[in-house]
Amino acid sequence: MSNKKALCPICGSNKSEIIYRVAGHHRRDIRPEVSIGRCMKCKTIFLAEADHFFQEDLYSYYKQYIGAKIEDLVSPLTLVSYDRVLKRLCKITNIQNILDVGCGKGEFVWAARNSGYAIKGIELSLEAVSVARSFNLPVQQHSLFSPALDSSSWNAITMFEVIEHVENPVAMIQRATDLLAPGGVLYLTTPNYDSLDRLCLGEKWNVFHPEHIIYFSTRGLARLVRQHEPRLRLIAVESNNISPQLFGFVRSLFRLPYLGKRNLKSSGYIDDHVVAPDLRTISEGTSLLRSLKRLINLTLTIMGMGSTTILIAHKKD
Ligand SMILES: [Zn+2]
């Protein structure tokens, strides 16, 4: 490793301690070595050393989806979770338009449009935009900072697993707030550094990757928003679910049988997030399993240890 070293993306300090050294074990045949550091000043966990930091070809894997059908990219379970997100947003404000930031292949854009919402997606990866456009989705290749976006004009801004990819998350949250109409809602998700997954898997946690610059805990993300964006009022900050990776790890540790479908890929869905059984697939099972899922999610939420952090905030009038 060439040991290029990064400054803390939150406070700019050059003093950090390395807490994980990660050797190649990751999906998609990318086998990078990275070091994860903790800022000694503000305690932010971030990508401290890597062979390379941002490179466009990190996201070129999207091109494998060119020619696919959108229906094959979004599993029924993901559609159910998108529907839940949309219903939740509607309870907070009157949704007339949605901006999906870092929309990837456009799965959420497609789902929201099919449910009758006016939505636009923006995405930096040219390959991802090409895939989304092949589905005739309203997706454009530009950043959140583009002057093409009018301030105070969006009722809802969604960012699914995006904020961990950016070099300046504070500027991103502030810009999103600029773009929200008064009363508009920001919905963002990110992997939770304090999750049971990371605690059990350690350096094997597959979220450690050169794509991911910052590793937020649920509480840390809430603190960041409170400190840097006074125009936002937090509505919900929670974490839920256990990752498929942890399920696989526990199963192999105790030699347990599969609980959900063996491999949804074989049933036609190539959604990255559901290739292994997780709590969502369990929810398809009996009412006992569904109750168990609710209990596990409640416990994880209370302890701040779910795999995904969800933050919902609205812009004060
Ligand atoms: Zn710092």
Side-chain angles (χ1 to χ4, degrees):
M1 181 157 50
S2 59
N3 282 351
K4 285 188 191 165
K5 227 175 161 178
L7 304 176
C8 170
I10 299 296
C11 76
S13 169
N14 63 358
K15 292 196 167 47
S16 61
E17 53 177 342
I18 300 300
I19 51 175
Y20 288 111
R21 290 196 187 278
V22 184
H25 63 267
H26 204 263
R27 65 188 190 276
R28 297 182 191 126
D29 297 318
I30 300 169
R31 303 205 175 272
E33 290 179 31
V34 294
S35 295
I36 307 300
R38 180 193 284 121
C39 173
M40 293 171 85
K41 196 173 165 197
C42 75
K43 310 296 177 206
T44 295
I45 312 293
F46 64 101
L47 184 67
E49 294 174 1
D51 265 350
H52 53 259
F53 288 95
F54 180 81
Q55 282 190 348
E56 287 211 344
D57 63 6
L58 269 181
Y59 298 91
S60 62
Y61 57 79
Y62 278 113
K63 64 185 169 210
Q64 68 182 295
Y65 300 105
I66 290 173
K69 283 197 231 158
I70 181 82
E71 293 83 352
D72 294 336
L73 298 177
V74 189
S75 72
L77 290 169
T78 300
L79 274 181
V80 168
S81 75
Y82 285 161
D83 193 46
R84 252 184 238 132
V85 171
L86 290 164
K87 284 189 176 131
R88 214 166 165 187
L89 297 179
C90 284
K91 280 185 187 163
I92 298 166
T93 190
N94 178 22
I95 304 287
Q96 287 162 16
N97 58 14
I98 304 172
L99 178 66
D100 189 31
V101 179
C103 66
K105 305 183 290 294
E107 295 93 327
F108 182 68
V109 174
W110 176 71
R113 196 184 61 175
N114 282 359
S115 298
Y117 294 91
I119 183 165
K120 170 180 169 165
I122 57 172
E123 167 61 51
L124 288 180
S125 162
L126 181 63
E127 286 85 358
V129 171
S130 302
V131 176
R133 288 210 175 139
S134 72
F135 308 138
N136 295 317
L137 295 174
V139 169
Q140 290 185 329
Q141 192 203 11
H142 61 71
S143 88
L144 187 63
F145 296 88
S146 165
L149 297 166
D150 289 334
S151 291
S152 303
S153 61
W154 299 91
N155 300 120
I157 295 181
T158 50
M159 297 185 204
F160 296 93
E161 316 283 303
V162 175
I163 198 157
E164 66 275 14
H165 293 254
V166 304
E167 288 179 354
N168 193 338
V170 170
M172 191 175 205
I173 288 168
Q174 290 171 337
R175 172 65 175 161
T177 310
D178 290 342
L179 297 179
L180 280 175
V185 58
L186 174 67
Y187 183 102
L188 67 87
T189 69
T190 190
N192 177 13
Y193 181 78
D194 280 352
S195 61
L196 194 60
D197 311 336
R198 197 272 305 169
L199 291 169
C200 293
L201 294 161
E203 80 280 357
K204 291 190 172 66
W205 190 40
N206 65 11
V207 174
F208 290 139
H209 189 275
E211 283 181 14
H212 299 150
I213 296 168
I214 307 198
Y215 302 84
F216 290 107
S217 68
T218 299
R219 291 179 187 91
L221 182 63
R223 195 164 51 240
L224 188 85
V225 171
R226 276 196 208 99
Q227 280 176 356
H228 295 276
E229 193 36 275
R231 292 173 294 171
L232 288 178
R233 179 176 291 123
L234 292 179
I235 294 174
V237 186
E238 59 203 38
S239 69
N240 60 37
N241 226 330
I242 295 171
S243 73
Q245 193 196 5
L246 183 57
F247 260 86
F249 175 75
V250 172
R251 207 168 43 233
S252 63
L253 206 62
F254 297 102
R255 295 168 189 248
L256 294 172
Y258 282 85
L259 287 169
K261 288 180 183 173
R262 191 166 184 86
N263 186 348
L264 289 181
K265 211 168 192 168
S266 63
S267 66
Y269 298 106
I270 47 179
D271 180 332
D272 284 345
H273 300 288
V274 290
V275 292
D278 66 355
L279 283 184
R280 292 191 300 172
T281 55
I282 286 177
S283 70
E284 283 186 308
T286 64
S287 59
L288 181 67
L289 284 174
R290 282 197 294 274
S291 302
L292 179 67
K293 180 203 166 186
R294 273 197 291 273
L295 183 67
I296 292 172
N297 265 334
L298 182 65
T299 310
L300 290 169
T301 295
I302 290 169
M303 299 180 76
M305 292 171 72
S307 70
T308 301
T309 291
I310 300 167
L311 183 142
I312 309 174
H314 79 110
K315 186 173 175 179
K316 297 170 189 170
D317 289 331

